[in-house]
Amino acid sequence: MGVKGLRAQTFASDVQALCGNDLEYQLDPYHGNLTKASVLSTSGVNITSFRADPATGIFTFTSVSLTNYKGFGTITVKFTLGRNTYEVELKVIECCVNPMTYDHIFIDETIPSGSYTGIVFMYGTNTVAGSVTFDMAEVKLATDAEIVVPSGTELIVDQSDLTKLCEYAWDRIYVEDNQAAVEFISSTLSESLRGVYTEDGGQVSASSTVFSNNVMSLYINNHNGSGPYSGSYIEYNNCDFTFSRFMTPMNIHSSSPINMQNYLNQTCETGADVLHVLIENSSGVKLGDQSLTNNEFFNGSGYG
């Protein structure tokens, strides 16, 4: 493949939306000299056949299907231009909406520190680095997608909407420990399985935010009221927990390993499979206006 002993050089990865049965990828820029091309590997994708056109530099993949129920996969192609060998990774995503237009997209990767506006697509598990802000953004998450906020990082959701991208619900925002923080300001979180999911003191604050049509909106586990952030507790002020239709396991993809049944058994809305808040093994959790009394959960658990 190319000059003997030459290591394959890598083109920048490219995102391809699978909106039919076939995919095409154009080498750009292309100046001819394509002599060899083959599919090196795939992950989460099936392909029936592959063809590379030396005249145009177009790769054609036929009868393509995603095997990953989360709606994404990868195809790596190795090809030779003249005497040089290259590789390109194509990230294939499920075509959930039409048109598939976005300002930012994250597919099972790190979200770099910074501020993001406009339309944001997310597939798989995406991990916050440093401080990430969604500012007047429309964040759409694919089936079982999640945002992880690890220790030492923060996520700010400011005047933004987080909701599902595809037919099935997305999973959660996971707040890892008491060195991680999430803040909601005048935003909406909807159509998720586990909403905001905090463990080991994960810090969460929300003001003037709506949590709507989630199977569970807020889960708090092992929170003892300690941490480096102001207040050191879970704080929700002037927020609404609503549902406009029944939320049932039908919102969960049949291949999903996430078992919501134990949570749904604790439903607090008559006739509806929805659990707004579940608190376990915790103390120092305060929901609502902190100037009011009788609004704390100190004895380890509660739901509503």
Side-chain angles (χ1 to χ4, degrees):
M1 305 286 287
V3 177
K4 184 178 180 180
L6 181 69
R7 294 182 63 186
Q9 301 176 59
T10 304
F11 273 40
S13 63
D14 190 69
V15 177
Q16 298 285 308
L18 182 61
C19 298
N21 295 321
D22 301 334
L23 283 178
E24 282 192 352
Y25 169 73
Q26 169 76 65
L27 289 173
D28 186 20
Y30 180 62
H31 304 296
N33 299 322
L34 175 64
T35 57
K36 295 180 181 179
S38 62
V39 175
L40 185 63
S41 63
T42 63
S43 176
V45 184
N46 278 337
I47 303 168
T48 297
S49 64
F50 165 74
R51 183 174 65 88
D53 186 348
T56 61
I58 294 178
F59 298 159
T60 302
F61 309 86
T62 58
S63 298
V64 181
S65 62
L66 287 163
T67 60
N68 181 355
Y69 79 96
K70 293 185 178 182
F72 69 95
T74 60
I75 304 171
T76 302
V77 178
K78 191 171 186 177
F79 57 96
T80 302
L81 299 177
R83 295 169 60 86
N84 296 319
T85 300
Y86 301 89
E87 291 179 10
V88 63
E89 181 186 70
L90 305 180
K91 297 182 177 181
V92 183
I93 58 174
E94 179 183 359
C95 189
C96 296
V97 294
N98 189 17
M100 289 286 287
T101 56
Y102 49 83
D103 299 292
H104 310 279
I105 186 166
F106 300 99
I107 306 170
D108 219 34
E109 61 186 291
T110 297
I111 309 171
S113 183
S115 181
Y116 300 89
T117 60
I119 299 175
V120 182
F121 282 5
M122 289 193 178
Y123 291 77
T125 298
N126 297 283
T127 304
V128 167
S131 177
V132 169
T133 299
F134 295 130
D135 183 9
M136 300 185 71
E138 188 175 355
V139 184
K140 294 180 174 292
L141 297 102
T143 303
D144 273 15
E146 67 175 339
I147 301 173
V148 175
V149 186
S151 185
T153 69
E154 67 174 354
L155 172 65
I156 300 171
V157 182
D158 188 358
Q159 301 179 75
S160 298
D161 297 327
L162 278 70
T163 191
K164 69 177 183 179
L165 171 63
C166 305
E167 177 183 359
Y168 297 99
W170 60 285
D171 184 11
R172 64 182 178 175
I173 297 175
Y174 176 63
V175 192
E176 185 177 85
D177 62 19
N178 67 3
Q179 303 294 314
V182 174
E183 181 179 9
F184 294 89
I185 307 165
S186 302
S187 295
T188 301
L189 186 152
S190 64
E191 304 287 351
S192 74
L193 296 179
R194 296 184 285 184
V196 182
Y197 192 103
T198 77
E199 289 195 307
D200 299 326
Q203 309 288 296
V204 183
S205 68
S207 60
S208 303
T209 291
V210 176
F211 297 83
S212 176
N213 289 339
N214 303 295
V215 179
M216 180 168 64
S217 290
L218 173 62
Y219 174 76
I220 303 167
N221 183 40
N222 195 28
H223 184 94
N224 62 11
S226 66
Y229 295 95
S230 175
S232 297
Y233 44 59
I234 309 290
E235 181 176 2
Y236 275 53
N237 291 323
N238 194 32
C239 294
D240 290 329
F241 294 83
T242 68
F243 71 96
S244 60
R245 56 182 174 76
F246 293 148
M247 297 292 291
T248 73
M250 291 298 291
N251 297 91
I252 305 173
H253 194 285
S254 60
S255 297
S256 174
I258 301 170
N259 182 6
M260 295 299 297
Q261 197 57 52
N262 289 336
Y263 303 128
L264 296 176
N265 287 340
Q266 300 183 77
T267 180
C268 64
E269 296 285 357
T270 302
D273 285 330
V274 57
L275 179 64
H276 293 316
V277 180
L278 176 60
I279 304 172
E280 296 181 320
N281 309 310
S282 300
S283 63
V285 176
K286 303 182 180 183
L287 301 178
D289 188 337
Q290 301 307 299
S291 67
L292 300 179
T293 59
N294 300 321
N295 193 25
E296 302 178 3
F297 297 84
F298 282 118
N299 294 321
S301 65
Y303 63 88

